[in-house]
PDB file of all heavy atoms in Angstrom:
ATOM      1  N   PRO A   3     130.517 103.544 107.007  1.00  0.00           N
ATOM      2  CA  PRO A   3     129.750 103.709 108.225  1.00  0.00           C
ATOM      3  C   PRO A   3     128.969 102.462 108.606  1.00  0.00           C
ATOM      4  O   PRO A   3     128.068 102.544 109.432  1.00  0.00           O
ATOM      5  CB  PRO A   3     128.781 104.857 107.887  1.00  0.00           C
ATOM      6  CG  PRO A   3     129.199 105.405 106.597  1.00  0.00           C
ATOM      7  CD  PRO A   3     129.911 104.304 105.908  1.00  0.00           C
ATOM      8  N   THR A   8     122.177  98.311 116.196  1.00  0.00           N
ATOM      9  CA  THR A   8     120.801  98.112 116.653  1.00  0.00           C
ATOM     10  C   THR A   8     120.734  97.655 118.094  1.00  0.00           C
ATOM     11  O   THR A   8     120.013  98.239 118.924  1.00  0.00           O
ATOM     12  CB  THR A   8     120.100  97.079 115.756  1.00  0.00           C
ATOM     13  OG1 THR A   8     120.195  97.511 114.404  1.00  0.00           O
ATOM     14  CG2 THR A   8     118.642  96.937 116.156  1.00  0.00           C
ATOM     15  N   GLY A  20     115.811 105.120 131.829  1.00  0.00           N
ATOM     16  CA  GLY A  20     115.656 104.656 133.194  1.00  0.00           C
ATOM     17  C   GLY A  20     116.413 105.503 134.196  1.00  0.00           C
ATOM     18  O   GLY A  20     115.990 105.695 135.337  1.00  0.00           O
ATOM     19  N   GLY A  37     128.319 123.443 132.238  1.00  0.00           N
ATOM     20  CA  GLY A  37     129.233 122.858 131.278  1.00  0.00           C
ATOM     21  C   GLY A  37     129.651 121.464 131.681  1.00  0.00           C
ATOM     22  O   GLY A  37     129.162 120.885 132.643  1.00  0.00           O
ATOM     23  N   ALA A  62     130.547 105.306  70.918  1.00  0.00           N
ATOM     24  CA  ALA A  62     131.824 104.662  70.580  1.00  0.00           C
ATOM     25  C   ALA A  62     131.763 104.068  69.171  1.00  0.00           C
ATOM     26  O   ALA A  62     130.733 103.518  68.769  1.00  0.00           O
ATOM     27  CB  ALA A  62     132.142 103.572  71.605  1.00  0.00           C
ATOM     28  N   GLY A  73     125.194 105.857  68.025  1.00  0.00           N
ATOM     29  CA  GLY A  73     125.865 107.160  67.944  1.00  0.00           C
ATOM     30  C   GLY A  73     125.154 108.281  68.677  1.00  0.00           C
ATOM     31  O   GLY A  73     125.313 109.457  68.312  1.00  0.00           O
ATOM     32  N   GLU A  79     116.710 112.125  83.852  1.00  0.00           N
ATOM     33  CA  GLU A  79     116.774 112.594  85.242  1.00  0.00           C
ATOM     34  C   GLU A  79     115.493 112.208  85.971  1.00  0.00           C
ATOM     35  O   GLU A  79     114.401 112.241  85.388  1.00  0.00           O
ATOM     36  CB  GLU A  79     116.963 114.115  85.285  1.00  0.00           C
ATOM     37  CG  GLU A  79     117.034 114.703  86.682  1.00  0.00           C
ATOM     38  CD  GLU A  79     117.238 116.200  86.671  1.00  0.00           C
ATOM     39  OE1 GLU A  79     118.190 116.672  85.997  1.00  0.00           O
ATOM     40  OE2 GLU A  79     116.450 116.917  87.328  1.00  0.00           O
ATOM     41  N   ALA A  80     115.631 111.845  87.247  1.00  0.00           N
ATOM     42  CA  ALA A  80     114.466 111.487  88.061  1.00  0.00           C
ATOM     43  C   ALA A  80     114.696 111.941  89.495  1.00  0.00           C
ATOM     44  O   ALA A  80     115.789 111.783  90.037  1.00  0.00           O
ATOM     45  CB  ALA A  80     114.214 109.986  88.021  1.00  0.00           C
ATOM     46  N   ASP A  83     111.251 111.936  96.827  1.00  0.00           N
ATOM     47  CA  ASP A  83     111.471 112.248  98.234  1.00  0.00           C
ATOM     48  C   ASP A  83     110.781 111.195  99.086  1.00  0.00           C
ATOM     49  O   ASP A  83     109.915 110.458  98.624  1.00  0.00           O
ATOM     50  CB  ASP A  83     110.977 113.651  98.605  1.00  0.00           C
ATOM     51  CG  ASP A  83     109.544 113.901  98.183  1.00  0.00           C
ATOM     52  OD1 ASP A  83     108.658 113.145  98.623  1.00  0.00           O
ATOM     53  OD2 ASP A  83     109.304 114.844  97.416  1.00  0.00           O
ATOM     54  N   ARG A 122     111.285 107.139  89.581  1.00  0.00           N
ATOM     55  CA  ARG A 122     111.348 106.386  88.324  1.00  0.00           C
ATOM     56  C   ARG A 122     111.702 107.350  87.189  1.00  0.00           C
ATOM     57  O   ARG A 122     111.139 108.448  87.080  1.00  0.00           O
ATOM     58  CB  ARG A 122     110.017 105.706  88.018  1.00  0.00           C
ATOM     59  CG  ARG A 122     110.048 104.861  86.739  1.00  0.00           C
ATOM     60  CD  ARG A 122     108.682 104.271  86.424  1.00  0.00           C
ATOM     61  NE  ARG A 122     108.285 103.259  87.387  1.00  0.00           N
ATOM     62  CZ  ARG A 122     108.632 101.969  87.295  1.00  0.00           C
ATOM     63  NH1 ARG A 122     109.401 101.558  86.307  1.00  0.00           N
ATOM     64  NH2 ARG A 122     108.211 101.114  88.199  1.00  0.00           N
ATOM     65  N   ALA A 124     111.646 108.696  83.381  1.00  0.00           N
ATOM     66  CA  ALA A 124     110.645 108.699  82.320  1.00  0.00           C
ATOM     67  C   ALA A 124     111.093 107.817  81.154  1.00  0.00           C
ATOM     68  O   ALA A 124     110.277 107.229  80.444  1.00  0.00           O
ATOM     69  CB  ALA A 124     110.397 110.125  81.837  1.00  0.00           C
ATOM     70  N   VAL A 128     114.217 106.287  71.170  1.00  0.00           N
ATOM     71  CA  VAL A 128     113.480 106.440  69.915  1.00  0.00           C
ATOM     72  C   VAL A 128     112.428 105.349  69.755  1.00  0.00           C
ATOM     73  O   VAL A 128     111.608 105.427  68.836  1.00  0.00           O
ATOM     74  CB  VAL A 128     114.452 106.422  68.716  1.00  0.00           C
ATOM     75  CG1 VAL A 128     115.394 107.612  68.786  1.00  0.00           C
ATOM     76  CG2 VAL A 128     115.240 105.112  68.664  1.00  0.00           C
ATOM     77  N   THR A 149     123.192 104.315 108.037  1.00  0.00           N
ATOM     78  CA  THR A 149     123.900 104.772 109.231  1.00  0.00           C
ATOM     79  C   THR A 149     124.582 106.100 108.943  1.00  0.00           C
ATOM     80  O   THR A 149     124.858 106.439 107.791  1.00  0.00           O
ATOM     81  CB  THR A 149     124.976 103.762 109.690  1.00  0.00           C
ATOM     82  OG1 THR A 149     125.908 103.560 108.617  1.00  0.00           O
ATOM     83  CG2 THR A 149     124.355 102.440 110.093  1.00  0.00           C
ATOM     84  N   GLY A 152     129.266 111.596 112.887  1.00  0.00           N
ATOM     85  CA  GLY A 152     129.925 112.859 112.626  1.00  0.00           C
ATOM     86  C   GLY A 152     130.046 113.718 113.861  1.00  0.00           C
ATOM     87  O   GLY A 152     129.894 113.254 115.000  1.00  0.00           O
ATOM     88  N   ASN A 186     118.717  99.863  91.859  1.00  0.00           N
ATOM     89  CA  ASN A 186     118.112 100.225  90.584  1.00  0.00           C
ATOM     90  C   ASN A 186     117.431  98.994  89.990  1.00  0.00           C
ATOM     91  O   ASN A 186     118.022  97.911  89.888  1.00  0.00           O
ATOM     92  CB  ASN A 186     119.180 100.740  89.611  1.00  0.00           C
ATOM     93  CG  ASN A 186     118.569 101.322  88.350  1.00  0.00           C
ATOM     94  OD1 ASN A 186     118.089 102.448  88.368  1.00  0.00           O
ATOM     95  ND2 ASN A 186     118.596 100.558  87.257  1.00  0.00           N
ATOM     96  N   TYR A 187     116.161  99.150  89.600  1.00  0.00           N
ATOM     97  CA  TYR A 187     115.370  98.068  89.022  1.00  0.00           C
ATOM     98  C   TYR A 187     115.128  98.385  87.545  1.00  0.00           C
ATOM     99  O   TYR A 187     114.506  99.410  87.221  1.00  0.00           O
ATOM    100  CB  TYR A 187     114.038  97.924  89.746  1.00  0.00           C
ATOM    101  CG  TYR A 187     114.173  97.689  91.240  1.00  0.00           C
ATOM    102  CD1 TYR A 187     114.155  98.760  92.119  1.00  0.00           C
ATOM    103  CD2 TYR A 187     114.306  96.398  91.754  1.00  0.00           C
ATOM    104  CE1 TYR A 187     114.271  98.560  93.488  1.00  0.00           C
ATOM    105  CE2 TYR A 187     114.422  96.189  93.126  1.00  0.00           C
ATOM    106  CZ  TYR A 187     114.406  97.277  93.983  1.00  0.00           C
ATOM    107  OH  TYR A 187     114.522  97.071  95.338  1.00  0.00           O
ATOM    108  N   MET A 211     126.598 103.458  98.927  1.00  0.00           N
ATOM    109  CA  MET A 211     127.061 104.827  98.709  1.00  0.00           C
ATOM    110  C   MET A 211     127.490 105.453 100.023  1.00  0.00           C
ATOM    111  O   MET A 211     126.873 105.214 101.065  1.00  0.00           O
ATOM    112  CB  MET A 211     125.955 105.674  98.072  1.00  0.00           C
ATOM    113  CG  MET A 211     125.599 105.284  96.665  1.00  0.00           C
ATOM    114  SD  MET A 211     124.393 106.436  95.934  1.00  0.00           S
ATOM    115  CE  MET A 211     124.328 105.792  94.256  1.00  0.00           C
ATOM    116  N   THR A 214     129.295 112.531 102.095  1.00  0.00           N
ATOM    117  CA  THR A 214     129.664 113.561 103.065  1.00  0.00           C
ATOM    118  C   THR A 214     128.486 114.524 103.159  1.00  0.00           C
ATOM    119  O   THR A 214     127.986 115.001 102.139  1.00  0.00           O
ATOM    120  CB  THR A 214     130.929 114.315 102.632  1.00  0.00           C
ATOM    121  OG1 THR A 214     132.006 113.389 102.525  1.00  0.00           O
ATOM    122  CG2 THR A 214     131.287 115.389 103.655  1.00  0.00           C
ATOM    123  N   LYS A 224     115.678 122.722 126.988  1.00  0.00           N
ATOM    124  CA  LYS A 224     114.936 123.003 128.217  1.00  0.00           C
ATOM    125  C   LYS A 224     115.469 122.090 129.317  1.00  0.00           C
ATOM    126  O   LYS A 224     115.445 120.857 129.180  1.00  0.00           O
ATOM    127  CB  LYS A 224     113.441 122.750 127.989  1.00  0.00           C
ATOM    128  CG  LYS A 224     112.595 122.731 129.271  1.00  0.00           C
ATOM    129  CD  LYS A 224     112.599 124.057 130.010  1.00  0.00           C
ATOM    130  CE  LYS A 224     111.697 123.993 131.234  1.00  0.00           C
ATOM    131  NZ  LYS A 224     111.778 125.219 132.051  1.00  0.00           N
ATOM    132  N   ASN A 251     130.760  96.482  78.509  1.00  0.00           N
ATOM    133  CA  ASN A 251     131.808  96.241  77.523  1.00  0.00           C
ATOM    134  C   ASN A 251     131.377  95.278  76.416  1.00  0.00           C
ATOM    135  O   ASN A 251     131.901  95.340  75.304  1.00  0.00           O
ATOM    136  CB  ASN A 251     133.058  95.697  78.223  1.00  0.00           C
ATOM    137  CG  ASN A 251     133.677  96.717  79.161  1.00  0.00           C
ATOM    138  OD1 ASN A 251     133.742  97.897  78.831  1.00  0.00           O
ATOM    139  ND2 ASN A 251     134.117  96.284  80.328  1.00  0.00           N
TER     140      ASN A 251
END
Side-chain angles (χ1 to χ4, degrees):
T8 305
E79 180 179 308
D83 52 58
R122 182 184 291 274
V128 296
T149 58
N186 189 78
Y187 303 93
M211 292 185 175
T214 300
K224 168 63 178 174
N251 295 320

